[in-house]
Amino acid sequence: MFEADGISAVHDRTTLLHPLSLSVSPGTVVGLIGHNGSGKSTALKLMARHLPLTAGQVRIDGHDATGLDSRAFARQLAYMPQALPTTPGLSGRDLVKLGRYPWHGALGRFAQEDAAAVEDALTLTGTHTLADRMVATLSGGERQRIWLALLLAQKSRYLLLDEPISALDIAHQINTLALIQELAHSLDLGVVMVLHDINLAVRYCDRLAVLKGGRLQIDDTPEAVLDSGILDDVYGVTTHIIPHPHYATPVVLFGT
């Protein structure tokens, strides 16, 4: 299990995230939702060790992750930031190969096992057609898909995804979230991802953790979160919950 235990962040005397505790088990998708500036991305960066902890602890299988070096940590956890780094001169395949660095190191030999992991990741994400194209020429949606392939090639047990569908049209948003959900369940991956679309979060997440003002409000199943009525307070608007005409998950409507 991956656990964030009372993690918090303070910068220039401003509290960005109040103590937050969150856990994710393999085979589970947890959605982080909340208003803009609620601390979602900050929480993810703290878990991924991209920001220093002011307090609290990140644990993997009950052990403090602080003592793990960067490669050992990356073998357990992979992180996709909201703003993807530029990758000049790299093809899609070259980028996905970088996911194998935690296993062989910068001077290590790229072995058959690494090549197989890359091919598996391209297959799972349907990105073989992007493998020989330069990443800089890809659309925003294509870049997100090839970065997801990199994360899968990394063979980490836990994935932290910051708005993984932000650059996608609605069809690709649905396809990408369905893929993430399927991979989490079939490969036994623990996933925490920041999402803005409440209805997509309800449909594709096993649990929702709701933040407001840097504080965790509730962490429960989508149905329990909707039944709690807390979204009215978090977003400052009236919500109406109605049955979906085709799926078991309900639909959230916002308005008076």
Side-chain angles (χ1 to χ4, degrees), residues 85-121:
T86 57
T87 52
L90 288 183
S91 68
R93 189 180 303 278
D94 292 334
L95 180 67
V96 177
K97 283 182 177 180
L98 294 180
R100 300 304 300 163
Y101 170 77
W103 297 95
H104 63 72
L107 301 179
R109 186 172 64 88
F110 194 82
Q112 183 175 354
E113 179 182 359
D114 300 307
V118 169
E119 291 305 311
D120 285 346

Side-chain angles (χ1 to χ4, degrees), residues 76 115 123 137 176 184 238 243 245:
Q76 297 291 332
T123 298
T137 68
T176 298
T238 302

